[in-house]
Amino acid sequence: METLNHIIAHPFIAYFPKAIQGLLLVYIIFKAMDFATGLLKTWKGVVGYKSRLMREGLIRWIGEMVAIMFVIVIDIALGLNFYLSGATLALFVYKEGGSIAENLKLLGVNMPGILEEIDQDKVKKAIEDKMKGGK
């Protein structure tokens, strides 16, 4: 916990409102969880391991971090009080949450409520299409 407080106390991070700090932290945690559940899918044999997919995922993550930094700069430059950053981070958190839910569903984890309604066949087809190089 001390390390986390040290990171949050960094002058660059401390400049942001607490809500933005929290969203950024949640985004990073969700991204790590998505990565971990993606690896679990390969270990379980749900999908085959493809280094190309992992590389593309890491490149996409770096791109998302650049996009977040870009939006933060726009927020600061235009004096938008971090509304744009908050919306962007919230959308990225939402996207990662959906990806985690899909991965858990494919791993056979029983999900409560609306998460249970994720169509497993649709998810598998999307993964297969992605592995074939589709979009």
Side-chain angles (χ1 to χ4, degrees):
M1 190 69 173
E2 186 176 321
T3 304
L4 181 61
N5 288 334
H6 183 67
I7 292 170
I8 291 175
H10 188 278
F12 180 72
I13 301 296
Y15 175 75
F16 305 128
K18 292 287 185 193
I20 299 300
Q21 291 177 16
L23 277 172
L24 190 56
L25 182 62
V26 169
Y27 169 71
I28 291 169
I29 291 170
F30 273 30
K31 196 58 154 169
M33 290 171 61
D34 184 38
F35 185 76
T37 55
L39 285 177
L40 288 173
K41 284 190 318 187
T42 63
W43 290 339
K44 186 177 178 184
V46 175
V47 295
Y49 174 77
K50 299 269 187 185
S51 61
R52 176 181 53 84
L53 286 178
M54 182 178 278
R55 181 182 66 242
E56 288 174 4
L58 290 172
I59 290 170
R60 190 176 317 110
W61 182 63
I62 292 168
E64 288 176 5
M65 293 301 291
V66 169
I68 289 168
M69 293 301 297
F70 177 70
V71 169
I72 288 172
V73 169
I74 289 174
D75 255 346
I76 293 169
L78 298 179
L80 298 176
N81 295 325
F82 297 99
Y83 289 115
L84 188 59
S85 299
T88 301
L89 283 165
L91 289 172
F92 278 134
V93 166
Y94 176 78
K95 176 187 73 87
E96 292 304 324
S99 180
I100 293 166
E102 289 173 359
N103 289 345
L104 291 173
K105 178 79 172 172
L106 288 172
L107 289 168
V109 176
N110 292 325
M111 301 298 290
I114 196 164
L115 297 177
E116 185 64 36
E117 296 176 17
I118 295 173
D119 186 353
Q120 191 168 0
D121 293 330
K122 239 179 170 177
V123 172
K124 280 186 180 179
K125 183 176 179 344
I127 290 170
E128 289 169 3
D129 288 347
K130 196 171 213 177
M131 290 180 76
K132 291 177 186 172
K135 301 249 177 195

